[in-house]
Amino acid sequence: MIKTRLRYCVYDPDPRGNPRYYVRKKGRKKIRIFEKFDDGGNITEAFMKAYWAALAEIDGASSPKKEVPREDTFDWLVDQYFRSNEFNRLELTTQSDKRSVLARFCVTAGPLPYKRFRQQDVANSQLKRKATPGAADKLVKVLRALFNWAMMQSPPLASGNPATGIKKLNAASEGFHTWTPAEIDKYRAHHLIGSTPRLALEIMINIGARISDAAYIGRQHESGGELRFTARKNRNRKPTVIEVPMTRDLVAALRHTKTGDFTYLVTEYGRPFTVNGLGNRMREWCNAAGLPQCSSHGLRKAAAVIFAENGASAPEMCAVFGWSKLETAEIYIRKAGRRKMAINAYARLPDSNKPKIVSFSVRENESETNRGKNHGKSATKKRNGGPGGTRTPNQAVMRRVNGLGRYCPWAPCGFEPLESVAFDGIRRFPRRTPEIPPAFTSLTNR
């Protein structure tokens, strides 16, 4: 955080560089100011008004009185949702994220009756935020969860969900950048074995851990050469236990790196990382390695790609990464399959030193631009293959067949070796009647 010209006001930009200002006092909860800070070198009047209000709220001199929201408005529905058991069972980070999204939405939509909210209204709210498509799609997702909760109450607080069926604006995005093998090698070359940045990478890439899991995994989760832990995501609603073996790279990194008592990853002061703190440090470590496009979640995606390209099945990948849906694993498997098929397709192309393959379906001495006129009857030219011919035009098949011998249905390999062949420019089968084996002779004499 960077101090500003105002006392207790700090500048803390988000990971994308967008400006954020907070009023912060030691031992008190910080308050964010959303108004514009600077206008031609001067602090705006709106910002100063919000600044003094935030100071007054922190000092408790004039804490704003919360008005009881009117029933059947969005303010009332959101307030009921925040008090529900379903919301309080969510992770604290998830609760904070949803509170932030719904608070911004209720700034304008709070006094409106939610029961009259239609699907077109949700689509319009999404389009207002098209400059940030990720935030627009998140609003639709949070509203969908809000109305789903309202419909499940007894009695139901809503008869339908207007957020259902809204398509994503950010559907074409692949999300976080997936690390490539070259980027992983570059990170390892910059952060050598024995450092905390290197250990963080080895934990995430070798066991496919989320950053929330990597922040709290420690020695207590080791069991007979394996790591056994409960995924932090949805652990209060749908706990998922993950058991994975400890790879050689991970064991080597742990052997040469200073770790904590209960967590592998610790700060320079020997304290465990928070999830947000580890995310911020991972951002710094990637930038230091010259990888500003990479992130911690991209490592988890890179681990999934490695498993998929090595033939892991969808259930196997779900067991490793803790996914509850096979469709998630099949996304990576399909991508890996397309990559393999593309490589195989190029491998079938002839090398430059191989003879050019010519199609045998093209007639000899015939050109598409220079065809001689034939006013008489057309006579089929004698040839050894193609339409009107007597032999297959595929010379590779001919060589294989002639090398084996004559076709024989009762022979073990399907062909009978030839004793002699006649050559008149083309290898041909000798015309002779096949001998019937004794087993078939006995059957015909009955």
Side-chain angles (χ1 to χ4, degrees):
M1 292 186 179
I2 304 173
K3 293 182 179 180
T4 64
R5 288 173 281 176
L6 300 174
R7 192 178 184 185
Y8 304 119
C9 182
V10 294
Y11 170 69
D12 182 23
D14 65 12
R16 296 180 177 84
N18 299 318
R20 294 185 301 187
Y21 292 91
Y22 295 92
V23 176
R24 183 180 184 183
K25 279 190 175 183
K26 187 175 181 179
R28 305 289 183 87
K29 184 178 180 180
K30 63 182 180 181
I31 299 176
R32 183 177 177 181
I33 301 179
F34 292 93
E35 281 72 13
K36 187 177 180 181
F37 177 76
D38 189 276
D39 186 12
N42 298 320
I43 302 176
T44 62
E45 182 179 351
F47 187 93
M48 289 301 302
K49 184 178 180 180
Y51 167 74
W52 290 117
L55 279 178
E57 183 178 346
I58 289 177
D59 293 335
S62 60
S63 55
K65 297 181 180 179
K66 294 185 178 180
E67 298 181 359
V68 178
R70 188 162 54 89
E71 195 170 350
D72 292 341
T73 62
F74 269 107
D75 284 332
W76 178 83
L77 182 65
V78 170
D79 181 70
Q80 297 297 313
Y81 179 54
F82 289 161
R83 298 170 185 269
S84 66
N85 291 331
E86 182 173 347
F87 181 81
N88 289 303
R89 282 201 303 265
L90 299 173
E91 294 295 321
L92 293 178
T93 53
T94 306
Q95 291 184 27
S96 176
D97 188 37
K98 288 193 173 186
R99 283 183 184 274
S100 177
V101 173
L102 291 174
R104 289 194 298 269
F105 175 74
C106 287
V107 170
T108 56
L112 301 178
Y114 71 88
K115 292 183 179 180
R116 296 184 182 181
F117 214 58
R118 303 164 302 171
Q119 187 181 55
Q120 186 60 42
D121 298 324
V122 179
N124 292 337
S125 299
Q126 182 189 42
L127 288 175
K128 284 183 181 179
R129 298 161 176 81
K130 63 181 180 181
T132 54
D137 293 337
K138 180 182 286 188
L139 172 63
V140 176
K141 180 180 178 181
V142 173
L143 287 177
R144 188 182 299 120
L146 173 66
F147 278 95
N148 281 339
W149 168 84
M151 292 170 60
M152 294 175 62
Q153 301 309 299
S154 180
L157 301 178
S159 58
N161 193 332
T164 302
I166 303 295
K167 295 183 179 180
K168 290 185 177 181
L169 295 180
N170 206 28
S173 174
E174 294 185 358
F176 290 93
H177 168 71
T178 304
W179 291 51
T180 64
E183 290 169 343
I184 296 175
D185 293 340
K186 185 177 180 180
Y187 185 97
R188 283 172 169 163
H190 187 273
H191 299 290
L192 301 179
I193 196 80
S195 63
T196 301
R198 177 63 174 271
L199 178 59
L201 176 132
E202 299 299 343
I203 291 175
M204 296 181 198
I205 195 67
N206 282 282
I207 66 176
R210 298 181 181 91
I211 193 169
S212 57
D213 296 329
Y216 94 102
I217 292 177
R219 299 287 181 185
Q220 69 274 17
H221 298 108
E222 297 179 8
S223 177
E226 294 183 348
L227 284 175
R228 188 179 188 276
F229 60 94
T230 301
R232 304 291 289 180
K233 184 176 181 180
N234 294 330
R235 70 182 187 276
N236 293 330
R237 294 188 302 165
K238 299 178 181 179
T240 302
V241 178
I242 299 176
E243 298 180 63
V244 291
M246 300 177 67
T247 63
R248 289 178 295 179
D249 291 338
L250 178 57
V251 172
L254 289 171
R255 185 181 298 117
H256 295 89
T257 308
K258 181 181 178 181
T259 60
D261 295 331
F262 295 102
T263 60
Y264 288 142
L265 297 174
V266 292
T267 65
E268 56 269 24
Y269 303 105
R271 298 176 181 175
F273 280 102
T274 63
V275 176
N276 292 335
L278 180 58
N280 294 334
R281 293 305 300 272
M282 193 68 191
R283 173 74 277 145
E284 296 174 4
W285 296 334
C286 291
N287 292 342
L291 301 170
Q293 73 280 11
C294 296
S295 63
S296 57
H297 192 73
L299 273 176
R300 179 173 166 86
K301 295 176 68 175
V305 170
I306 293 173
F307 276 98
E309 291 185 347
N310 283 275
S313 64
E316 290 171 344
M317 293 181 65
C318 287
V320 173
F321 295 94
W323 296 322
S324 59
K325 296 180 180 179
L326 294 176
E327 291 82 356
T328 307
E330 289 170 354
I331 293 174
Y332 295 95
I333 293 174
R334 285 195 297 269
K335 288 183 179 179
R338 285 197 297 268
R339 182 172 179 271
K340 287 181 180 180
M341 287 189 288
I343 294 174
N344 292 341
Y346 273 88
R348 296 178 187 276
L349 294 178
D351 298 334
S352 58
N353 58 349
K354 289 184 179 181
K356 184 178 180 181
I357 299 177
V358 181
S359 175
F360 285 91
S361 61
V362 180
R363 295 184 179 181
E364 297 179 6
N365 300 328
E366 185 178 55
S367 173
E368 293 181 355
T369 59
N370 185 16
R371 295 182 178 178
K373 295 182 179 180
N374 187 357
H375 299 288
K377 294 183 178 180
S378 59
T380 304
K381 183 178 179 180
K382 292 183 178 180
R383 52 190 178 273
N384 301 321
T390 58
R391 294 291 183 268
T392 172
N394 193 325
Q395 302 303 309
V397 175
M398 286 296 298
R399 286 193 297 271
R400 198 171 104 192
V401 171
N402 290 333
L404 289 173
R406 181 174 52 193
Y407 174 72
C408 183
W410 50 77
C413 63
F415 289 90
E416 182 183 14
L418 292 176
E419 298 177 359
S420 62
V421 293
F423 287 87
D424 56 349
I426 300 176
R427 298 186 68 176
R428 300 181 183 275
F429 297 135
R431 298 183 178 275
R432 63 182 181 181
T433 304
E435 298 179 1
I436 301 177
F440 284 83
T441 305
S442 59
L443 290 175
T444 56
N445 292 336
R446 292 181 181 179

